[in-house]
C-alpha cells in the first residue's frame, strides 16, 4: 500500500493531479491511499504518515518550499515531489532533498516514471536501517550496504558501498542496536557485517571488497560461531576451527 499526499491550493488542480496518480497506479496494479490538501498548514496538521508527497511550490500562505522544510524537520525520509508551472525553483528543491521536480501541466508519461521510481525506493526503504546524526543532519544507512563500523574514540566511521561517513556515537549502544542483525564485534575497534566476510583466520578476516580487519584472540571462537550461524540462516554452510 502506497500512502500519497497531494498538496495544491487550487482545488481543481489538486483533484486533477490526484486523479491522474490514482489512474496510473491502478493500471500498475498498485494499491494506494491518496489524500488531498489545499494548504501547507493543512498537510502539516495531518496525523497520517505518507510515503510520497506531491507539493505545489507556489501557494498562498505557507508556500511549498517552506512546507517542505517543515516536513523535513519531522520526517527526513519522505519522498517529496515538487510540482510547479515554473522551473525557477529547481535548485532550491535540492536544499530539501526533493525526489523529483515536475512541471505543470504534468505529463502522464513523466508522472508514471516518477511513481515507478517511488515504488522502487519505498520498497528499498522497508529494508533494515539505522538512523544517525551526520553533520547536524539525520541520515539513514541501510544495513545491507554497510561493510563495517570502525570505532575511533568518540567517532564511529561507517564503511559502506557509498563511501565512509563519520558520526559521534557509542559503540556499546550501536552493538546492542545491531544485535541479531548480522553484525559482530570481532575487535574492540570493529563491528563487521558478516554478509561481506570472505575468508578469515585467527588473526584477521578479509571482506569481499578486499579490506582486512583484525580479529581479537578472545573473540575468535565466538566469531566462528556467529559466522556459522549466519551462513546457516542464509542457506549456506561454514566450517569453523
Amino acid at each position: 500500500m502506497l500512502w500519497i499526499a497531494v498538496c495544491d491550493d487550487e482545488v481543481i488542480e489538486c483533484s486533477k493531479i490526484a486523479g491522474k496518480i490514482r489512474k496510473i497506479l491502478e493500471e500498475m496494479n498498485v494499491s494506494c491511499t491518496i489524500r488531498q490538501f489545499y494548504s501547507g498548514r493543512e498537510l502539516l496538521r495531518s496525523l497520517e504518515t505518507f510515503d510520497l508527497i506531491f507539493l505545489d511550490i507556489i501557494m498562498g500562505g505557507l508556500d511549498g518550499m517552506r512546507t517542505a522544510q517543515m516536513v523535513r524537520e519531522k520526517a527526513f525520509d519522505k519522498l517529496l515531489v515538487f510540482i510547479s508551472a515554473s522551473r525557477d525553483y529547481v535548485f532550491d528543491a535540492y536544499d530539501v532533498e526533493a525526489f523529483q521536480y515536475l512541471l505543470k501541466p504534468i505529463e502522464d508519461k513523466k508522472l508514471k516514471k516518477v511513481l515507478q521510481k517511488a515504488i522502487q525506493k519505498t520498497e528499498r526503504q522497508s529494508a533494515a536501517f539505522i538512523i544517525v546524526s551526520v553533520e547536524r543532519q539525520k541520515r539513514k544507512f541501510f544495513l545491507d550496504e554497510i561493510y563495517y563500523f570502525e570505532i575511533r574514540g568518540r567517532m564511529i566511521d561507517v564503511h559502506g558501498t557509498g563511501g565512509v561517513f563519520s558520526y559521534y556515537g557509542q559503540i556499546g549502544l550501536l552493538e546492542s542496536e545491531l544485535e541479531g542483525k548480522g553484525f559482530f564485534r570481532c575487535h574492540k575497534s570493529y563491528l563487521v557485517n558478516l554478509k561481506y566476510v570472505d575468508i578469515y583466520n585467527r588473526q584477521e578476516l578479509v571482506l569481499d571488497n578486499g579490506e582486512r580487519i583484525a580479529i581479537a584472540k578472545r573473540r575468535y571462537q565466538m566469531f566462528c560461531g556467529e559466522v556459522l550461524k549466519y551462513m546457516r540462516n542464509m542457506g549456506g554452510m561454514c566450517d569453523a576451527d
Side-chain angles (χ1 to χ4, degrees):
M1 171 71 76
L2 200 61
W3 286 76
I4 300 172
V6 180
C7 184
D8 193 314
D9 61 348
E10 295 183 15
V11 177
I12 294 177
E13 183 70 10
C14 187
S15 179
K16 184 178 177 181
I17 294 170
K20 281 190 173 204
I21 294 170
R22 189 181 302 280
K23 181 181 177 183
I24 291 172
L25 290 176
E26 285 178 352
E27 291 173 351
M28 295 169 61
N29 293 318
V30 176
S31 59
C32 67
T33 296
I34 303 175
R35 299 281 186 260
Q36 297 178 43
F37 301 93
Y38 309 120
S39 73
R41 296 197 183 281
E42 186 182 355
L43 170 64
L44 292 168
R45 284 197 298 266
S46 172
L47 298 177
E48 294 173 292
T49 300
F50 297 102
D51 302 301
L52 182 60
I53 300 174
F54 286 83
L55 189 59
D56 186 28
I57 294 179
I58 304 173
M59 294 191 294
L62 194 66
D63 66 24
M65 199 59 67
R66 180 56 186 148
T67 300
Q69 291 170 353
M70 295 175 76
V71 167
R72 278 286 175 258
E73 291 172 4
K74 295 169 59 179
F76 62 90
D77 60 337
K78 302 306 173 190
L79 301 183
L80 297 177
V81 177
F82 282 118
I83 46 180
S84 177
S86 171
R87 296 179 182 272
D88 296 344
Y89 305 94
V90 171
F91 293 107
D92 293 331
Y94 287 109
D95 293 335
V96 290
E97 299 182 30
F99 179 61
Q100 294 286 333
Y101 192 107
L102 291 173
L103 287 174
K104 293 181 179 181
I106 300 174
E107 297 178 15
D108 289 359
K109 191 174 180 179
K110 288 185 177 180
L111 179 56
K112 183 175 182 178
K113 283 186 177 180
V114 168
L115 289 170
Q116 288 173 329
K117 289 181 180 180
I119 291 168
Q120 292 173 355
K121 193 168 181 68
T122 53
E123 287 176 347
R124 181 169 173 262
Q125 285 180 338
S126 65
F129 61 87
I130 60 169
I131 298 170
V132 301
S133 296
V134 179
E135 297 178 352
R136 298 183 180 180
Q137 292 184 333
K138 297 292 185 181
R139 187 181 182 111
K140 176 188 288 187
F141 290 99
F142 290 96
L143 301 185
D144 197 48
E145 297 177 356
I146 297 173
Y147 296 126
Y148 64 97
F149 295 91
E150 180 179 5
I151 298 84
R152 297 183 297 107
R154 294 178 58 204
M155 297 297 297
I156 296 178
D157 294 339
V158 184
H159 296 256
T161 56
V164 181
F165 301 88
S166 302
Y167 72 98
Y168 287 101
Q170 298 180 35
I171 184 60
L173 293 177
L174 178 61
E175 190 175 7
S176 296
E177 187 177 352
L178 295 178
E179 186 175 354
K181 296 181 180 178
F183 283 77
F184 182 78
R185 193 175 179 184
C186 62
H187 185 279
K188 66 178 181 179
S189 300
Y190 299 105
L191 189 60
V192 300
N193 189 341
L194 298 176
K195 170 185 175 180
Y196 293 105
V197 175
D198 185 18
I199 58 176
Y200 61 91
N201 55 42
R202 291 182 177 275
Q203 286 74 46
E204 65 179 8
L205 61 86
V206 182
L207 299 177
D208 289 344
N209 64 357
E211 290 193 67
R212 296 175 179 273
I213 296 175
I215 299 177
K217 285 184 179 180
R218 65 185 182 86
R219 295 177 183 266
Y220 179 70
Q221 291 301 329
M222 191 180 298
F223 170 76
C224 290
E226 288 298 313
V227 169
L228 177 61
K229 183 167 67 175
Y230 177 81
M231 292 298 290
R232 282 177 173 165
N233 288 340
M234 296 302 292
M237 285 300 297
C238 174
D239 292 328
D241 287 341

